[in-house]
Amino acid sequence: MPEVFRATPLDAAPRLAAALGLGALWVKREDLAGTAFGGNKLRQISLILAEARKAGADTVITTAASQSNFCRALSGAAARAGLACHLLLRRAGGTAMQGNLLLDHVFGAAIHWTDVTDPWDPAIDAELDAIAQAVRREGGRPYLVRLPGRTAALAASAWAHGAAELAADLAAVDARPDAVVVACGSALTACGLALGLPRAGVTASVLGVSVQQPVTRLGPWCDDVIARTAMLLGWTDASHRLVLTDDQIAPGYGRASEASRPAVLLAGRTEGLVLDPVYTGKALAGLAAAVGGLIPRAGSAVLIHSGGAPGLFLHADDMELR
Ligand SMILES: Cc1ncc(COP(=O)(O)O)c(C=O)c1O
């Protein structure tokens, strides 16, 4: 199977660092992860596709909202791996042929729409099963991907290994950051990083900037994911330095915020980076807010650029460009 994921660079961002009052800032460029506009999900997807192959599948099926970065990356990676892809999409995020949905079509995914609005509604499982049965009737061999669901520990383990790559990047430039900052949806990326970094010799805190869930819900979930991931990896020590914040969620999931809009423009104008206002823009806003707190002034940090740039184009009207 062709590799769908490629190791990503760690770039210094000196102008952005200075603008934030930091001594140094590095950006881990997951947006360059190799296939289909990259993103933090590609490390997980390469493991998931390997599992699907091992199970003898020729088709992957998943579900999310219409503008999901995960679905776009999965459909692109499936195309590269020679697998068919079916997406069951919720209309939240809109049905306009833009951004990630446009890319899903470009990658040849079969799109199915659902009227169910709650991703955890059991009706979604029934609809996924119906798609799988239809694939079987046509002679296909489907593999169901539920993220986070039962794939959670596998997905987080991809980032526990990603932590070792980041540790090697940091060692190569002799960097000892105070914090590694990442946007959190399901928090599988943050959990994997938090578990993997100390084991790779990096003492930085991981700051998970929630874009969706309050910390009261995300915290216990992360404890559980980290424990399950450690078990999957056979690591007996699951200690970590994960710090979560939900200060950047407002006005809500999938929406630009007062702080994320200027953050997108700052990253673009200082470093030519393309962030989006609902994930990476909020991560950068969370990083900026942590300077003088978790991250000392003139200290140093890593921003995980978790991809999601296709989403920027859906927020043109929000960006208040001048
Ligand atoms: C661009 C981007 N960044 C960050 C995240 C959050 O990743 P996780 O779900 O692992 O917390 C996502 C999740 O969809 C994403 O699309």
Side-chain angles (χ1 to χ4, degrees), residues 40-41 44 69-70 183-190 276 279-280 306-308:
N40 59 320
K41 296 289 167 27
Q44 282 106 324
N69 290 310
F70 172 66
C184 278
S186 66
L188 300 179
T189 305
D276 72 275
Y279 285 106
T280 49
S306 49

Side-chain angles (χ1 to χ4, degrees), residues 46-100:
S46 71
L47 292 188
I48 290 166
L49 292 187
E51 290 255 317
R53 279 280 193 219
K54 214 160 57 184
D58 62 5
T59 304
V60 287
I61 305 173
T62 199
T63 182
S66 57
Q67 282 296 334
S68 160
N69 290 310
F70 172 66
C71 286
R72 175 257 306 160
L74 182 70
S75 56
R80 174 144 173 77
L83 298 167
C85 180
H86 287 250
L87 302 175
L88 177 65
L89 298 179
R90 304 188 309 278
R91 290 184 173 80
T95 53
M97 194 56 77
Q98 295 275 6
N100 287 316

Side-chain angles (χ1 to χ4, degrees), residues 197-307:
L197 283 176
R199 265 129 226 107
V202 177
T203 55
S205 300
V206 172
L207 174 60
V209 181
S210 179
V211 300
Q212 188 169 17
Q213 305 279 356
V215 167
T216 46
R217 200 175 310 153
L218 205 55
W221 160 252
C222 288
D223 290 341
D224 180 51
V225 169
I226 289 173
R228 279 193 285 149
T229 308
M231 205 182 300
L232 178 75
L233 292 166
W235 294 356
T236 45
D237 177 10
S239 58
H240 61 81
R241 300 185 64 191
L242 177 62
V243 179
L244 297 169
T245 174
D246 50 16
D247 289 352
Q248 304 297 329
I249 299 175
Y253 180 52
R255 303 194 39 206
S257 70
E258 287 303 316
S260 73
R261 286 186 206 97
V264 169
L265 299 183
L266 182 66
R269 291 169 187 193
T270 53
E271 300 287 349
L273 284 170
V274 185
L275 305 188
D276 72 275
V278 304
Y279 285 106
T280 49
K282 286 186 175 177
L284 180 55
L287 191 163
V291 176
L294 182 72
I295 308 169
R297 273 180 219 293
S300 63
V302 174
L303 174 69
I304 306 289
H305 188 326
S306 49

